[in-house]
């Protein structure tokens, strides 16, 4: 399943991800800190989405109250919820 997410409160403009069940197969950020976000993407591919959410959901960038990793966690949660709604 592919999912497109528009993050809020961060520099990145969008997050596209692909899940195979609950396993992350691909993550692409548009905008933001290119090298850091490529690194995060490389680290989470092959991981269980729930495990990544647990690790990233409370990370903050400066005084923003969120971060690109936290927004990835939000995208993963929404993608998992959407996946559950589609299942028969």
């Amino acid at each position: 399943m592919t999912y497109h997410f528009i993050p809020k409160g961060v520099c990145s403009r969008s997050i596209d991800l692909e899940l195979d069940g609950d396993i992350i197969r691909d993550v692409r950020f548009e905008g933001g800190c290119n090298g850091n976000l490529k690194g995060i993407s490389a680290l989470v591919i092959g991981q269980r989405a729930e495990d990544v959410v647990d690790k990233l959901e409370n990370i903050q960038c400066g005084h923003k109250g969120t971060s690109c990793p936290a927004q990835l966690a939000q995208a993963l949660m929404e993608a998992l919820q959407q996946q559950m709604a589609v299942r028969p």
Side-chain angles (χ1 to χ4, degrees):
M1 176 190 98
T2 59
Y3 186 74
H4 181 75
F5 180 80
I6 303 297
K8 296 169 184 63
V10 296
C11 299
S12 60
R13 294 181 299 277
S14 69
I15 303 170
D16 292 302
L17 56 94
E18 184 177 338
L19 295 178
D20 181 7
D22 67 342
I23 303 299
I24 301 167
R25 294 296 176 210
D26 193 27
V27 177
R28 292 173 308 284
F29 288 86
E30 180 182 331
C33 302
N34 189 38
N36 290 333
L37 296 175
K38 282 181 181 177
I40 290 168
S41 296
L43 290 170
V44 302
I45 290 173
Q47 302 294 314
R48 290 182 63 243
E50 294 89 351
D51 294 339
V52 172
V53 168
D54 289 343
K55 292 175 184 175
L56 301 182
E57 66 183 336
N58 294 314
I59 293 176
Q60 293 191 24
C61 181
H63 300 292
K64 294 180 181 181
T66 190
S67 65
C68 290
Q71 290 296 295
L72 173 57
Q74 182 65 40
L76 288 166
M77 288 188 288
E78 289 186 18
L80 289 170
Q81 289 173 345
Q82 182 178 350
Q83 207 171 256
M84 294 299 290
V86 175
R87 287 188 181 167

